[in-house]
Amino acid sequence: MTVKGLLASIVLVAIVYGRALGFGFSRAREEQLSEAVSLVDLTAIWTGLFLDLSRLTEGLEGFSSLWRPCVNVAYLFAGWLAGGEAWGFRLLAMACLVVIAWRARLLLGRKQGRDLVLCLIVFHPMMSAAVVDVSAMPSLLFAMGTVLAVTSKGRQSFWWTLFAMGAHEAAAIIPAIALCFRRDDKGATRGADRWRWPLLAVVVWWSIATALQFTGTLNEDALSIPDAESAKLAAANMWFYMGRLIMPLDPIFARTSPVYLEPWPAFAWVGLLLVLWVVARLERPRMDPVGPGFAAGFSCVVLTLLAAGGLLSEIPGYGEGRLALPIVGLAWMLASRPTGRLAAWSLVPMFFVLSIVRVGVWSNPDDLWAESHRARPQDTMIS
């Protein structure tokens, strides 16, 4: 079954995203990045662990100055693989999506929605922003590392959590996500190791990063230290991207970062706490509990959007690629109960059509900009 699931994931990803290998870059900063990383050879890739990607595209916004060594290695490998051509970056992103969809379905038992989870992840229209957008590599690697950490046992979860932390600082939420996943694909209760190993990995990572900064190897901007303002906006960002997750209709290439007027940021936190209280109170015991339940999938969505929206990371600009892991959480939510699975299967054909259309929009920057302008004609950044 594992091999069949892997083959199914490869086939579906190839059907939806295979033509994206022929697309070029969408932004000037991506072309500058590709020119820089294509100059290294295979043996020199690991020397880029401390690379500051923001300096490769100086003067252009987009790449973070935060220390994300796994992202550095991924970009350097993709640039070496394709000689700086865009298809190398997209091929690596497609491989990540294959792993995400394949491993995410393994938390479900047989006839418990495995194939539904696979289809929802691959076909969700917003996943195109994570796979086709070269700048979204941190979010995609973060999602892959998190899924592998949650679905692994023992020390393996430790190493995958370290990998995810090296891709995105929001991976510090992995222990909390793993804590919510109390059942495996056979319905057996998972032990405390499921969250203890990831927690140890987070502690080890921050210890290493702090030591490197203390010795001067990393500069002050390399580590994410959220402030009160970013934490205040985290809940508002979460609700904003929750809407994009549930209603994935209009593709937007770029837009002005959302602005939240007072007192909405405070109300957003109050609303979040109320929703969490309701979910906890209404969570009913499942018949034949297997794999993640509704609350576990919901926690994956909420915690990821909060962490990446300012609670653990820098205040980010607009980017739909951060929805990669929330899409996985949404799939787990919908597959948690028979009624939800039945309703979710009706979304699969619509998601498939929307995804095919959305991937085609990325064929060249002009079409992508035109679609964004059609969706938000008054937006300053798009104009």
Side-chain angles (χ1 to χ4, degrees), residues 1-340:
M1 294 298 295
T2 302
V3 175
K4 290 182 179 178
L6 179 59
L7 291 176
S9 182
I10 292 173
V11 170
L12 292 182
V13 170
I15 291 174
V16 177
Y17 296 99
R19 57 179 171 157
L21 295 176
F23 298 168
F25 292 106
S26 302
R27 298 174 175 86
R29 64 173 178 265
E30 295 170 0
E31 296 180 356
Q32 290 190 8
L33 171 71
S34 68
E35 292 176 1
V37 300
S38 64
L39 300 177
V40 302
D41 56 25
L42 184 59
T43 58
I45 286 177
W46 295 101
T47 62
L49 287 175
F50 298 102
L51 184 67
D52 183 355
L53 293 177
S54 64
R55 293 189 177 183
L56 297 180
T57 54
E58 190 173 356
L60 296 173
E61 296 181 358
F63 290 105
S64 173
S65 59
L66 294 176
W67 184 48
R68 295 167 176 171
C70 293
V71 177
N72 293 349
V73 172
Y75 279 135
L76 289 167
F77 176 79
W80 165 82
L81 179 66
E85 297 294 330
W87 67 263
F89 299 88
R90 302 236 165 84
L91 180 63
L92 183 60
M94 289 169 59
C96 291
L97 180 58
V98 167
V99 174
I100 291 172
W102 166 58
R103 289 301 292 254
R105 70 185 292 277
L106 293 182
L107 273 182
L108 283 298
R110 298 183 60 182
K111 299 181 180 180
Q112 296 288 331
R114 279 186 171 184
D115 294 333
L116 174 64
V117 168
L118 174 63
C119 291
L120 288 175
I121 293 173
V122 176
F123 294 159
H124 195 287
M126 287 298 173
M127 189 60 82
S128 62
V131 177
V132 188
D133 189 351
V134 174
S135 302
M137 187 67 73
S139 295
L140 195 62
L141 292 175
F142 160 47
M144 185 180 73
T146 302
V147 171
L148 287 168
V150 171
T151 57
S152 299
K153 297 180 180 179
R155 292 182 178 86
Q156 292 184 13
S157 61
F158 172 87
W159 295 111
W160 284 120
T161 303
L162 276 182
F163 172 87
M165 288 293 295
H168 202 291
E169 56 284 349
I173 63 170
I174 291 179
I177 294 177
L179 180 64
C180 299
F181 288 76
R182 294 175 292 180
R183 302 279 182 174
D184 61 16
D185 60 317
K186 296 180 177 58
T189 302
R190 304 177 68 188
D193 285 350
R194 71 185 188 278
W195 62 268
R196 287 177 179 172
W197 282 110
L199 179 60
L200 177 61
V202 172
V203 173
V204 169
W205 175 266
W206 280 113
S207 300
I208 294 174
T210 303
L212 289 173
Q213 189 177 50
F214 180 78
T215 59
T217 306
L218 298 177
N219 58 43
E220 295 181 357
D221 296 331
L223 298 184
S224 175
I225 304 178
D227 54 21
E229 183 65 20
S230 65
K232 179 182 177 181
L233 296 175
N237 279 320
M238 185 215 71
W239 287 116
F240 174 82
Y241 281 98
M242 189 83 78
R244 300 295 288 157
L245 177 68
I246 298 174
M247 297 292 291
L249 300 179
D250 292 321
I252 301 179
F253 166 56
R255 55 155 287 172
T256 305
S257 299
V259 177
Y260 310 110
L261 301 177
E262 297 290 348
W264 168 240
F267 285 157
W269 274 109
V270 174
L272 172 60
L273 294 177
L274 288 175
V275 169
L276 292 177
W277 182 82
V278 171
V279 170
R281 295 282 294 179
L282 296 182
E283 178 68 3
R284 296 172 298 170
R286 293 179 289 162
M287 297 296 294
D288 300 324
V290 175
F294 181 90
F298 185 70
S299 69
C300 180
V301 174
V302 171
L303 290 175
T304 302
L305 292 178
L306 283 175
L311 194 60
L312 295 178
S313 182
E314 60 182 353
I315 299 180
Y318 181 78
E320 295 172 351
R322 78 182 67 170
L323 290 173
L325 185 55
I327 288 171
V328 178
L330 177 65
W332 282 331
M333 287 170 56
L334 296 177
S336 62
R337 297 182 184 277
T339 53

Side-chain angles (χ1 to χ4, degrees), residues 116 119-120 123 125 342-356:
L116 174 64
C119 291
L120 288 175
F123 294 159
L342 183 62
W345 272 115
S346 65
L347 295 174
V348 171
M350 180 183 69
F351 277 8
F352 175 75
V353 174
L354 287 175
S355 293
I356 293 294

Side-chain angles (χ1 to χ4, degrees), residues 356-377:
I356 293 294
V357 173
R358 254 206 113 179
V359 171
V361 171
W362 288 84
S363 60
N364 63 78
D366 292 338
D367 289 346
L368 194 56
W369 171 82
E371 287 296 318
S372 300
H373 188 270
R374 180 186 61 80
R376 294 185 63 86

